[in-house]
Amino acid sequence: MSNALRAMTGFGIIGILLIGVGMFQSWNVALAIFNLCLISGVMALGVNIQWGYAGLFNVGIMGFAAVGGVAAMLTSQPIIYSAWQAGGTGILVSLVMVLILAAAMIFLSRKMRAGWAKNIVMVALAVGGYITIRNVFDPAVLAIESDNPAKSGYLGGLGLPILFSWLIGGVFAAGVAWIIGKIALGLRSDYLAIATLGISEILIAMMKNEDWLTRGVKNVTGLERPVPYELSLQESPRFISWVEWFNSSSLSGLSDDARAERLRQLVVEGSSIFVKLCYSGLFLSVLLIVLALCVLALASPWGRMVRAIRDNEISAAAMGKNVTRRHLQIFVLGSAVVGIAGAMLTTLDGQFTPSTYQPLRYTFLIWVMVIVGGSGNNLGSVLGAFIIWFVWIEAEPAGNWLMENGTAWLGDDSGLRAHLVDSAQHMRLMILGLVMLLVMRYSPGGILPERTRQN
Amino acid sequence: MYLEAENLIGGYGGADILKGCSLGVEKGEIAVIVGPNGAGKSTAMKAMLGMLDIREGSVVLNGEDITRLSPQDRIAKGVAFVPQTANVFTGMSVEENLEMGAFLRTDDFTGTMEEIYTLFPILKEKRRQMAGELSGGQRQQVAVGRALMTQPSVLMLDEPTAGVSPIVMDELFDRILEIRETGVAILMVEQNARQALNIADRGYVLVTGENRFTDTGEALLADPEVRKSFLGG
Amino acid sequence: MIDFLNAFVLFSNFVLVPGIAYGAQLALGALGITLLYSILRFANFAHGDLMAFGTMAVILFTWLFQSWGISFGPLPTALLALPFGIAITAILVLLTDRFVYRHYREIKAVPIRMVMASVGVMFLMNGLVRFIIGPNDQNFMDGERFIIKARAFKNATGLNEGLALKSSQALTIIVAIILVSALFWFLNRTRTGKSMRAFSDNEDLALLSGISPQKVVTVTWIIAAALATVAGVLYGLDKSFKPFTYFQLLLPMFAAAIVGGVGHPVGAILGGFVVAFSEVTVTYAYKKLFTYLLPADYAPEGLLQLLSTDYKFAVSFIILVVVLLVRPTGLLKGKVI
């Protein structure tokens, strides 16, 4: 089958499955899955930029997605003036001090000659600077965190519309990626993997513990929405009349009471579907824009150079291409896309909860999407994201059902059966790990392999 | 001949590098392969060792067809090879290098090791030192010593004198002559064509994967055409 | 003087002894990573979960033995179960090698593909462990808990501070010393061990010397499995067993291997202690220590903790970053196993 045909079949099957879910489970569930498919698609595109274009292995996708999530929260939450009054100055001063310290260390490390003197000065500077900064920082943090801790206890955000955060999330993630890339690129290829694994764990730890910035495990709920709220829709006469019109045939034969009751149900259901559809529209436009940019970039002279570097670093370097620089660029771009997706995800959730960031869900799952879909192929990554997300969601009930029924012969009081049923959720991990390994080995191109370049 | 390759055609999977070249060496003899860059000298030697795909032709060792054998199997049959670069275990001592050379042997190899120390006395002195810390010439000695540990009947050397000083080169050639005296068949690829042909019993001039001239070393040195094209006049 | 002694005992109790034990545990894990790196030439991301799997196998055997009424006197039953756990773990890694990694070796895939495959294996093992034993904490320490109890120490010495030596800590140190000596003896004195070093040093030349790559790889996996299992069991006895914690050990272990110089066994041990001591000293609250050491007027007010314990993984990461920036080859130079 040609790639185009495969792509159409693939998306067609997913479409039919989603419609099936809509008809047999509920349209709300179908749309919820679809929205996360779209976000996963964006995330997979980001990873595909890094892996497919440059062979960079990022094991810290979770961290970059979380950075996007923080951005969404920080952009949209209102400014909390009392907290700023309490400790804002201290935070800003320590921030400036960090910058000065970093500048001083970079300056000295360039100026001083290598040797014991330099090492001692550097260590002394780092330790001394750290202690000094902590002395300014700690009281400020304490002041902020004790400012109305039950409700806020953090600095709040910028009070901007949350849609801005999608861009800001990308910029934040790009910044983190730039630092990591500067350190780990140009060394052995697995160092980047190790470094990204590390930074993602640390970013999550910071989000859980730096309460003054993120409220930590107390979470920030009730983020502003870019789309209408269900409740206001349910009260809007115009929306009600829409629903009435849309369902006029099914409402027609009913008595007045039954009709009002039915209409109320339809309005409640319709409002939540309407909200999800609004999200779908937003996410779909982001996905299409990113996808279009990716496709264009890959076909441009820049894309050709990037692929040339991936296929043979040594000869590309010999032809005067700065491989490390190009890798850094790609790493930053890919991470920015992941950051955007992370911000979108937090926007959809309407809350920022650091403890929900699990490497399995945010790093591994995305990798499976890219590998299954077709590494190096943009559309393939998106297709992979759709398929794997659908399977991931629907596998849980299916797995539970299978375990329940598959172990029925063991009898109800069997300890083994209870254990197996309990553990069914971990089967997903094993099965996806297996899928990843099998696809990597037997079909390394994935469902939509990258077009080979004889032309 | 003791080791004989006939009409080898093949390469590293892409275009053919060898286009029908024939080489051979007798026991107690030195055969030298010379030729311009890219003539396929090293490739021909690697083909005899089984390190690349041969589409056509055959390699026969002591009357036995070994064309389809893996390098490991050929080594077990008494062929030893000294690569041009990375030919010692740099992080291991000289003695351990020699031990690794004897890896396939199950008998007591201390006698062989003594013989090698007699051949290269400097190695005995430095036997506890890391091979990576030795000079270029000493490393080549370790490399040759490692290859000799299997008590091979054929010794293949890929440019053993590349990158060493002329004095060291002469010294190394002397040792190779000594090894010949023990009845080993020696096949060698050389850049320093003139000096190599000087000690060669048999010389092959390869050009673009084919034999151009084949004769004794002496005769090749005397051949005006060889001198003009390959020995710089 | 008494204050000084008290301070020293305090420091030993909370930093020195735990640091040594933790360092030894990390060192064993990092040794496995470094060995695999030098023979198979990829960073094994599945190592933390390999440790978890090995420990789980040992725990299951321990429970089995306990149910049979077998115990090991004052020592933990887990020690008896250790050989069986190692055997199961070795079988598992050999299976993953056969069905996953061997393929990539044969097609001579770039190392990053192997790394990626190891991430796949990591999730497979992670799922397997959670599936079999569940994601929760398991405590499987039995036998004597302490060699020296804090109270007994206080009574015997009359000091304010007590020094406790947990048997798991002593056991860690003893087992680690035995295991590391055995490993070095094996690598430097035996034919197989030397062939492993040769293979790591120069693969092509090793092949030319008739060294069988499959055998070297097999032996390496078995050693790595044994080291990982022992490291995991010691860590579990010392603290407790939880699959996610073991996954998180990956970062300190990588840091340890890289600090010492990847492919360098001595470096891995050194790195293990560097990482462990940095982690313990940076997250320790020095308030009490300085209260003893300084005159009463200067007694510190804050906790004097450089970094909260939640950030202990940041320590390994910072070490890693500093090494990558300053000296990417690690403290010890030269790639030798």
Side-chain angles (χ1 to χ4, degrees), chain C residues 45-72:
Chain C
F45 271 71
H47 214 73
D49 288 292
L50 181 62
M51 271 170 69
F53 182 87
T55 314
M56 178 195 72
V58 169
I59 292 176
L60 295 179
F61 275 107
T62 307
W63 287 347
L64 183 70
F65 291 164
Q66 284 170 342
S67 74
W68 288 346
I70 302 176
S71 82
F72 203 14

Side-chain angles (χ1 to χ4, degrees), chain A residues 88-343:
Chain A
T89 340
I91 295 288
L92 288 179
V93 169
S94 41
L95 199 66
V96 172
M97 284 167 77
V98 168
L99 291 178
I100 293 173
L101 180 68
M105 287 188 70
I106 292 172
F107 178 77
L108 281 180
S109 78
R110 295 220 173 123
K111 284 284 161 194
M112 285 182 74
R113 248 182 301 134
W116 275 111
K118 176 178 173 175
N119 294 347
I120 291 169
V121 169
M122 294 296 278
V123 171
L125 201 59
V127 174
Y130 179 75
I131 291 172
T132 324
I133 292 170
R134 280 287 297 269
N135 270 327
V136 181
F137 182 72
D138 285 358
V141 166
L142 199 66
I144 293 169
E145 287 175 4
S146 42
D147 173 59
N148 193 6
K151 283 189 128 174
S152 62
Y154 75 123
L155 283 175
L158 296 173
L160 295 172
I162 199 163
L163 277 183
F164 278 116
S165 76
W166 298 4
L167 272 182
I168 295 177
V171 174
F172 276 17
V176 174
W178 187 80
I179 296 171
I180 292 297
K182 266 286 181 197
I183 295 168
L185 285 172
L187 298 170
R188 244 193 310 247
S189 56
D190 22 20
Y191 282 0
L192 181 74
I194 297 170
T196 47
L197 176 81
I199 193 71
S200 69
E201 292 288 326
I202 287 163
L203 285 170
I204 303 300
M206 277 172 71
M207 288 167 200
K208 283 185 190 161
N209 290 294
E210 297 304 315
D211 288 17
W212 61 275
L213 185 68
T214 63
R215 270 199 108 212
V217 285
K218 289 185 284 182
N219 303 336
V220 179
T221 51
L223 296 187
E224 187 221 346
R225 268 187 179 182
V227 297
Y229 284 83
E230 284 90 348
L231 274 179
S232 58
L233 280 177
Q234 288 161 22
E235 282 157 14
S236 140
R238 181 187 288 180
F239 183 74
I240 294 174
S241 65
W242 278 359
V243 174
E244 206 171 354
W245 172 78
F246 192 77
N247 294 291
S248 46
S249 60
S250 72
L251 285 172
S252 56
L254 297 167
S255 69
D256 276 1
D257 275 1
R259 187 187 148 94
E261 177 61 20
R262 179 90 187 108
L263 182 61
R264 212 173 53 77
Q265 273 176 12
L266 284 171
V267 166
V268 170
E269 204 185 300
S271 68
S272 117
I273 289 177
F274 181 79
V275 167
K276 290 204 169 71
L277 275 174
C278 292
Y279 275 123
S280 303
L282 287 171
F283 296 155
L284 190 61
S285 16
V286 174
L287 178 64
L288 289 178
I289 292 169
V290 175
L291 183 62
L293 288 177
C294 283
V295 171
L296 287 177
L298 206 55
S300 71
W302 179 86
R304 274 202 299 279
M305 172 178 64
V306 161
R307 281 176 306 180
I309 290 177
R310 182 196 58 189
D311 293 341
N312 194 337
E313 278 185 25
I314 297 163
S315 67
M319 282 160 71
K321 309 289 179 209
N322 187 335
V323 175
T324 309
R325 227 186 127 79
R326 218 44 65 201
H327 279 174
L328 183 62
Q329 199 177 40
I330 292 166
F331 186 62
V332 167
L333 279 176
S335 303
V337 173
V338 175
I340 293 173

Side-chain angles (χ1 to χ4, degrees), chain B residues 49 51 71-72 75 81 83 85-93 96-97 99-105 130 146, chain C residues 187-195 197-199 201-203 205-213 215 335-336:
Chain B
L49 201 71
M51 288 165 80
Q72 276 80 354
I75 286 157
F81 175 60
T85 52
N87 50 21
V88 294
F89 298 111
T90 49
M92 301 177 87
S93 71
E96 285 174 331
N97 264 276
E99 272 178 51
M100 285 300 110
F103 188 78
L104 284 176
R105 286 179 60 176
M130 292 288 157
R146 184 203 61 81
Chain C
L187 287 177
N188 291 318
R189 292 278 176 272
T190 65
R191 201 170 93 103
T192 314
K194 283 181 189 176
S195 72
R197 282 168 56 215
F199 189 87
D201 191 315
N202 187 335
E203 191 174 331
L205 198 61
L207 297 180
L208 282 177
S209 305
I211 293 169
S212 147
K215 187 180 167 196
K335 201 192 74 64
V336 235

Side-chain angles (χ1 to χ4, degrees), chain B residues 82 87-89 92-98 116 120 122-123 126 129-131 134-149 172:
Chain B
V82 180
N87 50 21
V88 294
F89 298 111
M92 301 177 87
S93 71
V94 169
E95 193 160 276
E96 285 174 331
N97 264 276
L98 298 184
I116 288 163
F120 303 115
I122 186 78
L123 296 190
K126 308 214 165 198
Q129 259 193 40
M130 292 288 157
L134 301 180
S135 72
Q138 290 164 350
R139 272 197 210 205
Q140 290 306 77
Q141 295 182 6
V142 176
V144 175
R146 184 203 61 81
L148 288 175
M149 283 301 290
L172 210 55

Side-chain angles (χ1 to χ4, degrees), chain B residues 41-59:
Chain B
K41 303 187 294 284
S42 293
T43 311
M45 185 177 268
K46 284 180 184 156
M48 295 177 81
L49 201 71
M51 288 165 80
L52 69 149
D53 300 328
I54 290 299
R55 287 197 293 113
E56 269 178 54
S58 66
V59 184

